[in-house]
Amino acid sequence: ATSSPPSTPTPTPTAVYKPADASGPAQNVPVPVLPEVAKTETKEGAEAFAKYWFSVLSYAYETGDTEHLSALSGPDCVFCNGLVDNIETAWSDGKWISGGRIETPAVTADAPAGEPTRVTLQVIQKELVIHNPDGSAYQEATAGTNSGSQATATFDGTGWTISKLSLIR
């Protein structure tokens, strides 16, 4: 009796991230993962959550998926809701966004006794282009920015939300 050699497992292809460009929307965009520390009602938890919130915002720009961003934003956060509306409009009628990726290299939380937690962030966003269905630019590109933001983070026992967001001018 002869035996056949053991079969070598074939590696499964991993989906490769491809950023958006004029030829089409981004593909296989990594979904942000909430860090464990961001689940705690601590200064470090607020900082980690605010960084996570901005990574979800960046994901929404790249994918047009604003569902998670909305869930992490308080209903009265006017600036947050405006971002969601703008992203949904930019992705409507077959359009998509290229660029717009966000980084938050500096984050500091301040939690004065008896007051909501304030998180100050440096927010760097790459140039952003909205594309028509044919790939042409819908409007002039939005220049990249390097600005400060102030977020009010609220912990309700089950997790954080951003209840207020503003630019530092």
Side-chain angles (χ1 to χ4, degrees), residues 3-165:
S3 63
S4 54
S7 62
T8 306
T10 309
T12 50
T14 350
V16 177
Y17 167 73
K18 177 188 175 303
D21 56 25
S23 65
Q27 298 173 12
N28 307 311
V29 180
V31 178
V33 177
L34 180 68
E36 281 301 312
V37 70
K39 299 174 184 176
T40 63
E41 189 177 6
T42 62
K43 176 184 181 297
E44 295 78 16
E47 291 169 351
F49 176 78
K51 280 184 77 76
Y52 172 71
W53 188 93
F54 275 94
S55 70
V56 171
L57 174 60
S58 186
Y59 177 83
Y61 276 113
E62 283 199 273
T63 64
D65 178 359
T66 59
E67 184 177 348
H68 201 54
L69 182 63
S70 292
L72 298 172
S73 305
D76 297 328
C77 183
V78 175
F79 198 87
C80 304
N81 294 325
L83 288 168
V84 168
D85 291 345
N86 289 342
I87 291 167
E88 289 175 352
T89 299
W91 276 84
S92 66
D93 303 321
K95 298 188 302 281
W96 71 88
I97 294 174
S98 66
R101 290 195 74 174
I102 296 172
E103 297 173 12
T104 51
V107 181
T108 306
D110 178 26
E115 292 184 34
T117 302
R118 290 185 309 256
V119 185
T120 304
L121 306 100
Q122 176 187 14
V123 180
I124 300 172
Q125 186 171 24
K126 304 289 185 196
E127 178 182 82
L128 180 148
V129 178
I130 301 171
H131 295 276
N132 287 310
D134 67 1
S136 64
Y138 173 73
Q139 62 191 31
E140 195 168 314
T142 301
T145 58
N146 183 350
S147 60
S149 287
Q150 180 93 56
T152 301
T154 307
F155 194 86
D156 70 0
T158 61
W160 293 97
T161 57
I162 298 296
S163 53
K164 184 177 180 186
L165 181 66

